[in-house]
Amino acid sequence: MAELLDCVELVSGDGPAHGCVVWLHGLGASGHDFPPVVPYLETPGLRFVFPHAPERPVTINAGFVMPAWYDITAIGPGGTNEQHVAETAASIEAILAREEEQFGADKVVLAGFSQGGAIALHVGLRHAQRLAGVLVLSAYEMFPERREEEAHEANRETPVFFCHGANDEVVPCERGAAAYEGVTQAGWPTMWADYPMGHEVCLPEIQDIGTWLRDRLPSS
């Protein structure tokens, strides 16, 4: 099993947690990026795990070293470092395995923003246990041509919620919509929502995510 990544970990509200959200940050960010969002989700009794991506050079950012789940050499097909994706997937699987020991896979949601959202979708569709849900924020699908061959039957009925900024100039909304359409046509239960924003999150989106999480991870 891969070595566990360092993570920011917290429980929302008082009392013991009844479910878990593993939430992956975007390129150049860290596990400290999304904890401030948690109070606005209004989801008491959930454990949140925010892993830190390893530092690595990123080709499209002039080779600067930054937290990155994988190197990107170009936008579009063929521009993703597959070895890094495989290594990251193994690291996220290790975190999921740890949380599943406590809660069970059906009480765990895998979420991510941008590059982290691409990893969440990639791992979520291939995970060997049925998760409570997969949350894909301002992201895209890597290797859609391999989805059918690599997806695990255990997660064929896992709900996948895609959210995107209609004015996103970093990951155009069309890329998120293409991921949503591909996963939907392949038979997964999906939801789509877009918002009048760029490559970011906004309060209406956070409120919608909170509603979705309460449905996926009810307290009783």
Side-chain angles (χ1 to χ4, degrees):
M1 179 177 292
E3 184 176 349
L4 285 174
L5 297 169
D6 290 334
C7 304
V8 177
E9 303 173 16
L10 61 91
V11 175
S12 56
D14 301 322
H18 62 267
C20 177
V21 180
V22 177
W23 196 318
L24 313 181
H25 62 75
L27 178 64
S30 76
H32 296 289
D33 208 29
F34 280 99
V37 165
V38 171
Y40 297 95
L41 295 170
E42 299 183 350
T43 52
L46 293 185
R47 170 174 162 80
F48 287 85
V49 178
F50 301 97
H52 299 294
E55 301 256 344
R56 65 173 97 244
V58 178
T59 302
I60 63 167
N61 286 350
F64 287 119
V65 175
M66 63 187 65
W69 299 112
Y70 50 87
D71 184 26
I72 303 173
T73 58
I75 301 299
T80 299
N81 186 305
E82 296 191 31
Q83 180 179 348
H84 291 170
V85 171
E87 292 169 356
T88 291
S91 297
I92 301 308
E93 288 282 4
I95 294 173
L96 292 174
R98 182 188 67 178
E99 300 307 318
E100 288 167 5
E101 286 185 6
Q102 179 176 354
F103 298 103
D106 63 344
K107 297 295 183 183
V108 176
V109 164
L110 180 57
F113 175 81
S114 192
Q115 193 186 60
I119 287 288
L121 181 60
H122 180 81
V123 173
L125 299 185
R126 292 160 175 80
H127 190 57
Q129 306 293 327
R130 180 178 176 179
L131 297 169
V134 177
L135 177 61
V136 184
L137 306 177
S138 302
Y140 47 91
E141 184 177 15
M142 300 181 292
F143 321 124
E145 72 282 358
R146 291 168 19 194
R147 181 197 323 115
E148 194 62 30
E149 177 184 354
E150 297 178 357
H152 201 287
E153 287 299 318
N155 269 301
R156 285 286 184 170
E157 296 182 3
T158 296
V160 186
F161 186 18
F162 294 83
C163 301
H164 218 106
N167 306 317
D168 193 332
E169 296 182 352
V170 177
V171 179
C173 193
E174 291 79 11
R175 293 191 72 191
Y180 161 73
E181 291 166 3
V183 173
T184 301
Q185 292 173 5
W188 275 267
T190 59
M191 288 177 55
W192 169 268
D194 56 70
Y195 305 86
M197 64 179 186
H199 196 63
E200 57 193 323
V201 295
C202 63
L203 184 57
E205 177 188 27
I206 292 166
Q207 292 170 334
D208 289 346
I209 292 168
T211 299
W212 184 80
L213 286 174
R214 290 190 295 273
D215 288 342
R216 302 276 65 77
L217 299 170
S219 58
S220 59

